[in-house]
Amino acid sequence: MIDENLRLDESIRLNQLGFYPNQKKQAVILNHEDANEFLIWDLGKKEFVLEGQLAEAATKTFSRKTTRIADFTALSEAGDYVFVLPGIGKSYSFSICPTIYQEVAKASLKAYYFQRASVALDEKYAGIWARPLGHPDDQVIIHPSAESNTRKHGAVFSSPKGWYDAGDYNKYVVNSGITVGTLLSLFEDYPSYFKKLNLNIPESEDQIPDLLDEIKWNLDWMLSMQDQVDGGVYHKLTTAKFEGMVAPHKAVSQRYLVAKSTSATLDFAAVMAQASRVYRSFFPEESVMYLKAAEKAWGWAKDNPDMLYQQTALNDEFDPDISTGAYGDVNIQDERIWAASELFITTHNRSYWEELVDADQKFHLPSWNQVSWLGYYSLLRHQEHISLLPQEWMATLKINLLSAARTQLEGIESTAFRSPIETDVSNFKWGSNAIAANQAILLLYAYKQSSDPIFLEGALSTLDYILGKNGTGYSYVTGFGSKTPLHPHHRLAVARPDLPPLPGFIVGGPNSAQQDGCSYSSSFPDESYIDESCSYASNEIAINWNAPFAYLTNA
Ligand code: 9MR
Ligand code: 9MR
């Protein structure tokens, strides 16, 4: 019988959701030289169902804690369990279940519905998180930086819909780019799954997959960010300064349309080119329009190859000063690769291939300012349908993908919590959890390319990391797990302290730079996380971080 008084021991780190029946299952035990044996208690049957030995101390954590590995892969029957160190303590409960990720996968996409601008959220879909309409964005003012012959500064402009970027309410094309690209790729990779997936959103009754309906909310906004006259795309739609931590309908400061940029325009071109083929059978008219928009954007970017978004320089020249998110990328070669890849796949037009033939094929993990592999993943996905693609060039891509994925796997063997993210301390920066999720996407593509299940196992170990087997013992996704973020830097959540935080959002995660100046309890890289709403550097949510997490859990 389990000792009733056995206390919860937070030094037992494991995935707080749980596991598939037939996957590898491990816990990491910190600083317990005293323990040797472990037991698994079945909460349903009320009996111990497995016993095992802890493996000898292996790698230490960044904070020099010793680690022991407990492997309970042998446990494969569906059920609810706790992990027990006899006489010492027990873990949070976890489950084994063939659909273990089903609910969190849906929630990670439903999160986008909660981020919708320009619409009231109905209780039927939003439940207790129903809220009034915020940010109609039909009275946006042209900022002087965005002025052109046909658009005078101070004029009014309409640009509704879209998703709020993150904990803030602004809308940024660059970050929308990687977000939508990742979600469209998720659809392209698993179309039959998404034809059936119901997210309970206002469009759920229509004949279109819910994921595509949700993405369209943001595509509609993105389209409005293109100047119809020349094809250039504005960088962002924003207040001059960040709003206070208030509800959307109370955040009513003036919104501005700010400068065009090459990065925004190329990201837009990539997304619209991909959307054109993904929506072809669902929204034929839009599909045609998306491609036209993409080609026009590409043309503008050819004529304006280096219009970087430089916020400080713009503020020297124009008023009012803009101090919200900059997404100011300084290298836009990768954006060009992404746009050319998507345009090439959709049109088979040789001129786009010419942009790629000499391009950098090295592996770079996707992030908002590094997007070449969003294009390369797409090329690999479509290679069989594009006869124009030289086999050798594609073979190089595949080699680079698999070798980067193998490097990730080595990280799983050599690190304290058995996750690739720990191999390089520089990964523990702003949005580190999205680095982990993108590493897992790489492993999933490697699995697809090679059929070697070791890569799939690697991707699952990254989920273990995100959901509790990590340096802080948090499951970093709101509402999923036992110890989860309760105070994210998320205006929608802070404005409603009476409610639990909106579910299905992955927080940024450990960030050793701690730019927000909040009082962290540790300065070690993998422990630089604090569950306080002040912590925008470790505890904010963001659309570009949810996308790879959604990819991973839905895949
Ligand atoms: O809320 C803002 C968040 O979305 C940004 O990621 C972050 C960094 O740009 O800034 C947050 O806003 C803070 C501002 O920068 C400084 N004053 C306090 C604001 C709210 O915490
Ligand atoms: O994700 C962005 C991160 O890479 C940057 O270091 C950081 C500071 O510029 O900004 C992050 O993006 C924020 C954006 O600027 C404003 N909305 C919230 C985003 C997430 O914190």
Side-chain angles (χ1 to χ4, degrees):
M1 207 48 203
I2 191 169
D3 174 0
E4 294 280 328
N5 299 318
L6 197 64
R7 62 178 190 89
L8 181 80
D9 187 338
E10 298 232 13
S11 67
I12 306 166
R13 303 283 162 87
L14 49 66
N15 183 327
Q16 294 167 22
L17 269 195
F19 308 89
Y20 289 118
N22 297 317
Q23 79 171 97
K24 190 164 169 179
K25 304 174 194 75
Q26 289 188 336
V28 172
I29 321 298
L30 301 176
N31 282 345
H32 269 308
E33 296 309 299
D34 49 341
N36 283 308
E37 190 198 15
F38 72 85
L39 298 168
I40 305 281
W41 175 255
D42 186 321
L43 287 163
K45 292 185 185 154
K46 302 200 186 314
E47 62 184 28
F48 288 108
V49 288
L50 189 84
E51 57 176 274
Q53 298 292 314
L54 302 182
E56 251 334 288
T59 319
K60 289 198 165 118
T61 67
F62 287 110
S63 54
R64 310 304 298 159
K65 294 186 182 74
T66 62
T67 58
R68 312 281 299 273
I69 303 289
D71 193 303
F72 49 101
T73 305
L75 182 73
S76 61
E77 202 179 313
D80 301 321
Y81 304 94
V82 279
F83 177 100
V84 174
L85 292 176
I88 298 177
K90 63 180 178 192
S91 72
Y92 293 113
S93 67
F94 64 92
S95 305
I96 293 181
C97 172
T99 54
I100 190 74
Y101 290 116
Q102 189 169 278
E103 290 309 313
V104 71
K106 276 200 245 177
S108 68
L109 292 172
K110 183 67 177 270
Y112 291 90
Y113 170 72
F114 290 124
Q115 291 292 101
R116 286 189 190 187
S118 320
V119 69
L121 301 198
D122 194 289
E123 199 195 325
K124 188 168 172 213
Y125 313 108
I128 55 172
W129 295 282
R131 60 170 169 85
L133 180 150
H135 304 90
D137 284 340
D138 54 354
Q139 303 279 318
V140 177
I141 284 189
I142 312 288
H143 189 262
S145 64
E147 184 165 71
S148 63
N149 290 338
T150 48
R151 276 193 179 133
K152 292 295 163 205
H153 84 259
V156 171
F157 172 77
S158 182
S159 188
K161 300 179 140 185
W163 299 312
Y164 297 133
D165 183 56
D168 64 324
Y169 291 136
N170 302 303
K171 304 192 291 198
Y172 309 86
V173 170
V174 164
N175 208 41
S176 271
I178 182 168
T179 304
V180 171
T182 303
L183 295 177
L184 286 175
S185 292
L186 173 58
F187 182 88
E188 279 197 300
D189 283 328
Y190 304 95
S192 52
Y193 163 78
F194 282 109
K195 281 178 187 151
K196 284 175 276 175
L197 192 75
N198 186 331
L199 296 174
N200 184 31
I201 55 176
E203 300 80 5
S204 287
E205 299 303 309
D206 69 16
Q207 297 308 303
I208 313 294
D210 282 4
L211 176 57
L212 295 187
D213 279 324
E214 189 53 57
I215 296 172
K216 194 164 177 295
W217 190 264
N218 203 58
L219 286 173
D220 287 352
W221 166 67
M222 288 182 83
L223 272 180
S224 73
M225 292 293 281
Q226 182 173 44
D227 183 346
Q228 296 304 316
V229 177
D230 63 6
V233 177
Y234 301 94
H235 197 72
K236 58 175 173 171
L237 190 165
T238 181
T239 48
K241 296 184 218 146
F242 285 113
E243 292 270 9
M245 303 299 283
V246 298
H249 63 288
K250 295 190 175 148
V252 294
S253 301
Q254 183 60 53
R255 312 254 281 178
Y256 295 93
L257 181 71
V258 178
K260 288 171 193 161
S261 73
T262 311
S263 57
T265 304
L266 287 168
D267 286 352
F268 174 100
V271 160
M272 291 299 163
Q274 186 175 17
S276 174
R277 61 175 188 265
V278 172
Y279 284 80
R280 195 173 290 144
S281 63
F282 302 106
F283 288 107
E285 280 168 32
E286 279 85 349
S287 163
V288 172
M289 188 168 78
Y290 294 156
L291 184 56
K292 281 196 183 129
E295 288 175 322
K296 220 168 164 186
W298 176 262
W300 185 90
K302 283 235 118 177
D303 297 340
N304 300 273
D306 46 20
M307 290 265 265
L308 300 181
Y309 182 78
Q310 291 170 309
Q311 195 152 276
T312 318
L314 287 183
N315 286 341
D316 289 342
E317 203 176 333
F318 303 109
D319 289 316
D321 282 7
I322 304 288
S323 60
T324 54
Y327 291 116
D329 198 353
V330 291
N331 180 341
I332 43 187
Q333 208 36 50
D334 52 300
E335 282 75 10
R336 197 161 284 122
I337 290 173
W338 182 28
S341 300
E342 300 297 350
L343 277 158
F344 180 57
I345 296 164
T346 302
T347 63
H348 293 210
N349 179 331
R350 266 205 110 81
S351 68
Y352 298 116
W353 165 249
E354 274 147 31
E355 297 284 332
L356 297 171
V357 62
D358 294 321
D360 170 22
Q361 290 184 285
K362 239 177 52 208
F363 183 80
H364 297 283
L365 196 74
S367 66
W368 64 262
N369 57 2
Q370 178 47 260
V371 292
S372 55
W373 275 76
L374 296 181
Y376 290 162
Y377 289 155
S378 286
L379 286 171
L380 287 163
R381 179 182 316 125
H382 289 279
Q383 60 183 331
E384 275 147 38
H385 308 287
I386 313 177
S387 49
L388 279 172
L389 279 176
Q391 286 192 0
E392 229 174 283
W393 194 91
M394 287 306 291
T396 306
L397 267 196
K398 187 170 164 179
I399 288 167
N400 292 353
L401 176 121
L402 290 175
S403 99
R406 274 191 212 99
T407 306
Q408 308 283 332
L409 290 184
E410 287 162 21
I412 296 174
E413 293 309 314
S414 64
T415 57
F417 295 101
R418 309 271 151 146
S419 67
I421 188 170
E422 294 164 84
T423 52
D424 188 343
V425 333
S426 74
N427 286 333
F428 291 97
K429 60 184 179 194
W430 202 312
S432 66
N433 283 337
I435 294 181
N438 271 301
Q439 289 175 328
I441 293 182
L442 163 64
L443 290 165
L444 288 173
Y445 279 116
Y447 173 56
K448 279 209 163 171
Q449 290 293 321
S450 68
S451 302
D452 185 342
I454 185 111
F455 293 115
L456 182 57
E457 198 171 84
L460 288 169
S461 80
T462 298
L463 269 169
D464 293 346
Y465 169 86
I466 292 171
L467 297 169
K469 199 175 76 183
N470 57 47
T472 64
Y474 272 92
S475 167
Y476 289 119
V477 182
T478 55
F480 289 87
S482 298
K483 185 181 180 182
T484 64
L486 297 176
H487 309 287
H489 185 87
H490 189 188
R491 281 165 176 74
L492 292 172
V494 175
R496 292 300 306 268
D498 53 320
L499 298 178
L502 292 109
F505 287 89
I506 189 169
V507 295
N511 169 10
S512 57
Q514 305 186 359
Q515 292 93 332
D516 47 42
C518 302
S519 36
Y520 290 70
S521 53
S522 166
S523 56
F524 291 103
D526 61 330
E527 297 174 357
S528 287
Y529 168 76
I530 179 173
D531 181 22
E532 304 236 337
S533 58
C534 84
S535 183
Y536 52 78
S538 82
N539 205 28
E540 188 163 358
I541 62 90
I543 56 172
N544 63 316
W545 303 336
N546 248 64
F549 180 67
Y551 188 103
L552 176 55
T553 49
N554 285 280

